Amino acid sequence: MARPRRCRRVCSEPAYESFFPEGIPHAGRVLLTLDEYEAVRLIDLEKLTHAQCAVQMDISRTTVTEIYELARGKIADAIVNGKVLSIAGGDYRLCDGSAPDLGCCHRPCRRFCGGAGNVSVDAKGADEMRIAVTYDNGQIFQHFGHTSQFKVYDVEDGKIVNEQIVDTNGSGHGALAGLLADVKADMLICGGIGGGAQMALAEAGIRLYGGVAGEADAAVAAFLKGELEYNPDVRCSHHDHGQHAHGSCGENKHGCGGHGGSCH
């Protein structure tokens, strides 16, 4: 039986989640996980040795070397081949400041291990489909990376059999795909969403219906009738510029509003 992977400690989520080649069409996308990002940050920027990095991330030195080499290869691929570099996902937990001997940031970070952590979620039935929707006061929240809640619908035989609200507890872009995977979501309905998050959702096997606006309940009802209008190519431009925007973004395929970036 394979030994479970140890959850890697990360000081904090990155301020920027995507970088892209300027002035030319990009030739694809590379996904750098947060644990890979952290290894590069600690070794190349903070100048820690692999052994020191291992202590900081609470993993073995051998694992650090493997993560670091993989990360450097991905960064080289993005730089040399003109690909978008996105940062999201991975097996990690956010540092909670409880290890002062490691020189941690001492921020009041929420514990997270690539998933729901302390989130309480009803069990999902074996024959049920679980639909998650970015949620705010009855409406579809228009920025996936900043949603404070998901509304989760369990569906069986085309009918909703259970509904619940799941708090994200401050999780950001990189953590939300893991949270949805841990609550066993099969699909996500949302407004705007960045390319890195899309890749993380795809890796988790979660189907995406983006660019949707309006009431959450109405969107799920429309999906069950086969009438949901969505944009399969939804993008928020502020993600690909490596910026976090706090305005609305997304809307449906007929238009896109927002103060933080355009969707297309």
Side-chain angles (χ1 to χ4, degrees):
M1 182 176 179
R3 185 173 63 179
R5 295 177 66 176
R6 186 176 181 87
C7 191
R8 293 88 184 256
R9 179 164 50 210
V10 171
C11 181
S12 63
E13 292 183 323
Y16 307 98
E17 67 159 10
S18 191
F19 301 88
F20 74 107
E22 184 176 2
I24 60 171
H26 66 78
R29 189 178 294 267
V30 175
L31 181 63
L32 188 72
T33 63
L34 265 74
D35 45 323
E36 292 167 350
Y37 159 87
E38 182 73 348
V40 171
R41 184 186 72 83
L42 292 174
I43 295 170
D44 289 341
L45 185 64
E46 301 296 335
K47 305 302 181 184
L48 269 61
T49 66
H50 285 212
Q52 292 169 329
C53 180
V55 174
Q56 179 77 30
M57 295 183 68
D58 194 24
I59 53 179
S60 71
R61 186 185 61 77
T62 301
T63 301
V64 164
T65 300
E66 293 174 351
I67 295 171
Y68 177 71
E69 291 180 351
L70 182 60
R72 291 287 294 267
K74 290 181 177 181
I75 293 171
D77 183 20
I79 294 173
V80 173
N81 296 317
K83 297 181 180 180
V84 173
L85 179 67
S86 298
I87 307 171
D91 297 321
Y92 71 97
R93 70 182 188 274
L94 291 178
C95 174
D96 64 355
S98 63
D101 56 312
L102 302 180
C104 292
C105 60
H106 302 288
R107 298 173 185 172
C109 303
R110 183 179 73 89
R111 288 183 181 272
F112 188 81
C113 185
N118 296 324
V119 175
S120 177
V121 183
D122 295 341
K124 174 186 171 184
D127 298 322
E128 294 175 357
M129 174 176 64
R130 176 159 286 178
I131 303 172
V133 183
T134 50
Y135 190 74
D136 181 35
N137 194 30
Q139 301 294 306
I140 299 172
F141 188 70
Q142 287 299 298
H143 192 327
F144 171 79
H146 293 288
T147 189
S148 61
Q149 292 182 323
F150 290 108
K151 187 168 184 179
V152 175
Y153 304 76
D154 291 332
V155 177
E156 188 172 5
D157 295 327
K159 297 180 180 179
I160 297 172
V161 296
N162 187 44
E163 301 177 11
Q164 56 191 310
I165 304 295
V166 176
D167 291 325
T168 64
N169 296 327
S171 299
H173 300 78
L176 291 176
L179 187 152
L180 289 176
D182 268 18
V183 303
K184 302 186 184 305
D186 297 296
M187 59 171 283
L188 167 70
I189 296 175
C190 67
I193 183 169
Q198 292 190 37
M199 291 181 68
L201 289 171
E203 288 191 349
I206 299 171
R207 301 190 303 276
L208 172 64
Y209 296 81
V212 183
E215 295 183 357
D217 291 354
V220 173
F223 171 79
L224 295 177
K225 294 178 182 178
E227 300 173 353
L228 179 66
E229 293 188 354
Y230 68 99
N231 182 356
D233 301 314
V234 67
R235 282 288 192 277
C236 284
S237 63
H238 57 303
H239 289 280
D240 284 342
H241 284 270
Q243 300 172 353
H244 288 296
H246 296 274
S248 62
C249 188
E251 300 300 330
N252 59 28
K253 66 181 181 180
H254 301 295
C256 176
H259 306 289
S262 61
C263 295
H264 49 281

